[in-house]
Amino acid sequence: MTPLNTTTLYLLRHAEADGPSQSASLSEAGRRAAEALIPTLEAFEIDAIFSSPLDRALQTASPFAAKSGLNITTMPDLREHRLSLQVPDPDDPLLEQRFEKRGLARPGGESFQAVLGRLRQAILAISRRPYAAPLAVTHGGVIASLLSTLDRSYGYAEFIQMPRPALFKVTHRKGSPTQIEPIELTG
């Protein structure tokens, strides 16, 4: 088995988008926020960028990638939490229930357990690469699945308060997250 090269990574929720659709781009405020992330990410000496394939995540990572000269590697496992095939609405009332019933999902949708499973796969894949401070850009539902697993008091009320963007330091053991610490963003 290949030894793991990192036990930490930075997890970034994308900046504000123009809407909730899968194809939404960053809003003007989101573009400014993505630019404002550059000094923070430089201070953490980010040395690799991985991203959800959705535009709003890629657009959040792009200003730092351009400034640092790093490439962005897309990872499908970092994609948005799929609520269902029939209910694409991010205000789906079932979302709130998923914080208590982690296996709950609509037909064609993903439970928090499923989302966390693919996030773990992404973390494991990233950790096997030779980076000291990798960044993974993803979505609020993905991060919420992790936060609510590591802290059972984290629920829907906290999720809807999570800013865009939001940055976290994740410590893991063999791809399985053991701790997540929010990092305050200024500016």
Side-chain angles (χ1 to χ4, degrees), residues 25-180:
S25 294
L26 291 184
S27 65
E28 184 57 40
R31 287 189 283 283
R32 286 191 305 272
E35 289 283 341
L37 287 168
I38 293 171
T40 300
L41 299 176
E42 286 176 330
F44 287 112
E45 300 180 0
I46 299 299
D47 58 354
I49 306 169
F50 300 88
S51 177
S52 158
L54 297 182
D55 285 346
R56 58 189 178 269
L58 290 165
Q59 291 169 350
T60 299
S62 290
F64 177 69
K67 176 83 164 58
S68 66
L70 296 172
N71 292 322
I72 301 171
T73 301
T74 58
M75 295 185 83
D77 283 340
L78 294 173
R79 71 186 181 280
E80 180 66 275
H81 176 197
R82 188 176 63 246
L83 297 175
S84 85
L85 296 176
Q86 297 81 26
V87 185
D89 183 358
D91 294 324
D92 178 359
L94 193 62
L95 181 58
E96 185 171 354
Q97 296 172 29
R98 291 183 181 146
F99 284 89
E100 294 297 321
K101 300 174 185 170
R102 303 184 54 70
L104 190 60
R106 288 194 186 275
E110 293 179 290
S111 68
F112 267 14
Q113 288 173 338
V115 172
L116 185 59
R118 66 177 163 78
L119 178 58
R120 285 180 173 151
Q121 289 302 309
I123 291 171
L124 183 60
I126 292 167
S127 73
R128 290 186 167 152
R129 299 179 186 207
Y131 301 114
L135 175 70
V137 185
T138 189
H139 305 271
V142 176
I143 296 171
S145 72
L146 176 57
L147 284 164
S148 66
T149 297
L150 296 176
D151 177 1
R152 290 295 186 174
S153 69
Y154 186 91
Y156 183 74
E158 290 76 19
F159 166 64
I160 61 172
Q161 296 299 316
M162 185 191 307
R164 292 179 189 96
L167 183 63
F168 302 86
K169 181 178 180 180
V170 177
T171 304
H172 64 90
R173 188 173 297 113
K174 296 182 180 179
S176 196
T178 57
Q179 183 177 6
I180 184 167

